[in-house]
Structure formats: C-alpha cells, structure tokens
C-alpha cells in the first residue's frame, strides 16, 4: 500500500509510515521502524497530523524527549487526540528514567492514551492507585492498538497471568508483541 500511495495518494504516506513503523516497534524491530520513519518529516505539507504523530513515535524510539515540546507546539488546538498521542509518547520516553518527569508532562491531561501512561508512571509508587487511574477496560469498539497498550499496562501493574492472557488473546502474534508494549 505504501508503494501505491507514493504515486497515487501522497496524503496517506505519513499515516502508512506511522502504522508500519509502529508495527515494527511492537515486534521490537526498532531499527526497521526508524528506517521507515527516517524521512517522514518531508511529508509534513501533505499531511501534518500524521506526520507529527509519526515524528512523535520516532522521537520515542530514538529516546529524544527534547523533541516533543516542538511537536506539541505544532498541534492545532482542536487536535486533542494528536496532542494526547504526542504526550503519550513523550511521557513513555521520560518514564524510562523518571516517573516524576513523565507525570509532569501528563499534568492536566485526560484521555485514554495519557491515562495509560499516568497509571504506569504511578505504578512504582502505588500499584493500587495505578489500577484506579488505569480505569475500566476499553470497549471492544476502541482501536485495537489502544486495547493492547491498556492490557499490557494492566499486566505491568498486576503481573497477573490473566491480564497477560487477555493481551495475548487480542493478537495472532501473541507473545512476539509483548516486548514492544512493555516499556
């Protein structure tokens, strides 16, 4: 599809790159994901929304948290879902070294993506509070990616095999995806 879109519909290219790169990151093929993302910024004029989200994934994979403020600055005020995804990747990047910094980025945010990262940032301090913040299981109509991140986060917090099995049951790739979701 990406090859077809390069000639027929360049507007879709940043979204295609994002999806392929994220799939590779789920499989813990970070170098391949980064290779896909290497020139995504050149598509900003064709589709700023998907380009910014792809750039956020790239910044997360490269572990360059200093990139995120500029990405957030480019988000239009009405693009809440994009803002949340960028904050999600930013907090996920920061959480590798500092839960406090991740929580600072997530202050005054709400939404499914940022809630997952808030719960994981709190986890080291209080598992029970982390589960409360994580909240209810996303409905089946929610996008699969969100559901996978939710169940991976729930497993990270509880270490309950039932939560792990729920994650594994959501995908045909089962345990192959787990390293890409456990931050």
């Amino acid at each position: 599809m990406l090859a077809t879109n390069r000639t027929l519909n360049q507007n879709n290219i940043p979204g295609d790159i994002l999806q392929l790169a994220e799939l590779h990151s789920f499989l813990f093929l970070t170098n391949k994901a980064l290779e896909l993302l290497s020139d995504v910024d050149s598509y900003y004029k064709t589709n700023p929304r998907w380009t910014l989200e792809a750039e956020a994934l790239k910044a997360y994979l490269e572990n360059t948290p200093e990139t995120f403020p500029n990405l957030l600055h480019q988000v239009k005020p009405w693009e809440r879902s994009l803002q949340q995804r960028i904050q999600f990747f930013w907090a996920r990047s920061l959480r590798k070294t500092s839960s406090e910094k991740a929580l600072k980025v997530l202050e005054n945010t709400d939404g499914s993506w940022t809630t997952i990262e808030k719960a994981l940032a709190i986890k080291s301090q209080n598992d029970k509070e982390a589960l409360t913040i994580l909240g209810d299981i996303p409905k089946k109509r929610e996008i699969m990616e969100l559901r996978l991140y939710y169940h991976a986060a729930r497993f990270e917090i509880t270490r309950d095999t039932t939560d792990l099995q729920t994650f594994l049951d959501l995908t045909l790739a089962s345990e192959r995806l787990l390293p890409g979701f456990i931050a």
Side-chain angles (χ1 to χ4, degrees), residues 136-151:
D136 296 331
I137 295 169
K139 306 227 182 314
K140 287 186 178 185
R141 68 177 185 269
E142 293 287 346
I143 62 171
M144 181 59 73
E145 179 186 11
L146 176 65
R147 292 173 58 208
L148 286 166
Y149 273 112
Y150 174 89
H151 288 292

Side-chain angles (χ1 to χ4, degrees), residues 2-61:
L2 181 58
T4 303
N5 281 335
R6 288 196 191 279
T7 55
L8 297 178
N9 190 355
Q10 290 201 346
N11 186 48
N12 289 345
I13 292 173
D16 292 348
I17 289 171
L18 171 66
Q19 290 176 345
L20 287 170
E22 197 156 28
L23 178 61
H24 282 86
S25 74
F26 296 157
L27 294 169
F28 220 53
L29 300 170
T30 306
N31 289 339
K32 180 62 177 169
L34 287 170
E35 182 183 316
L36 286 162
L37 293 164
S38 65
D39 71 340
V40 75
D41 60 334
S42 67
Y43 295 99
Y44 183 82
K45 288 186 179 182
T46 60
N47 193 322
R49 191 257 182 261
W50 290 113
T51 300
L52 289 171
E53 188 170 338
E55 286 285 337
L57 174 61
K58 181 179 174 185
Y60 166 69
L61 293 174

Side-chain angles (χ1 to χ4, degrees), residues 24-173:
H24 282 86
S25 74
F26 296 157
L27 294 169
F28 220 53
L29 300 170
T30 306
N31 289 339
K32 180 62 177 169
L34 287 170
E35 182 183 316
L36 286 162
L37 293 164
S38 65
D39 71 340
V40 75
D41 60 334
S42 67
Y43 295 99
Y44 183 82
K45 288 186 179 182
T46 60
N47 193 322
R49 191 257 182 261
W50 290 113
T51 300
L52 289 171
E53 188 170 338
E55 286 285 337
L57 174 61
K58 181 179 174 185
Y60 166 69
L61 293 174
E62 291 178 334
N63 197 28
T64 54
E66 64 277 3
T67 305
F68 289 100
N70 181 46
L71 294 175
L72 270 179
H73 179 73
Q74 296 176 63
V75 175
K76 305 287 188 266
W78 57 87
E79 295 177 313
R80 266 183 49 73
S81 65
L82 175 57
Q83 181 182 21
Q84 287 178 26
R85 281 290 278 171
I86 291 172
Q87 288 172 304
F88 167 82
F89 284 124
W90 188 6
R92 199 165 182 81
S93 178
L94 291 171
R95 190 168 48 81
K96 292 176 184 178
T97 57
S98 171
S99 291
E100 292 78 25
K101 288 180 181 178
L103 287 170
K104 186 75 174 158
V105 165
L106 298 170
E107 281 181 349
N108 304 313
T109 64
D110 62 351
S112 301
W113 291 107
T114 54
T115 297
I116 289 169
E117 278 305 309
K118 279 182 193 176
L120 290 170
I122 294 283
K123 171 182 82 92
S124 63
Q125 300 166 12
N126 186 329
D127 287 351
K128 188 175 180 177
E129 184 180 353
L131 277 177
T132 300
I133 289 169
L134 189 59
D136 296 331
I137 295 169
K139 306 227 182 314
K140 287 186 178 185
R141 68 177 185 269
E142 293 287 346
I143 62 171
M144 181 59 73
E145 179 186 11
L146 176 65
R147 292 173 58 208
L148 286 166
Y149 273 112
Y150 174 89
H151 288 292
R154 189 167 172 83
F155 171 67
E156 269 193 85
I157 295 166
T158 67
R159 292 298 184 197
D160 185 332
T161 56
T162 304
D163 292 321
L164 174 60
Q165 192 60 51
T166 302
F167 174 88
L168 297 175
D169 290 345
L170 287 174
T171 174
L172 297 174

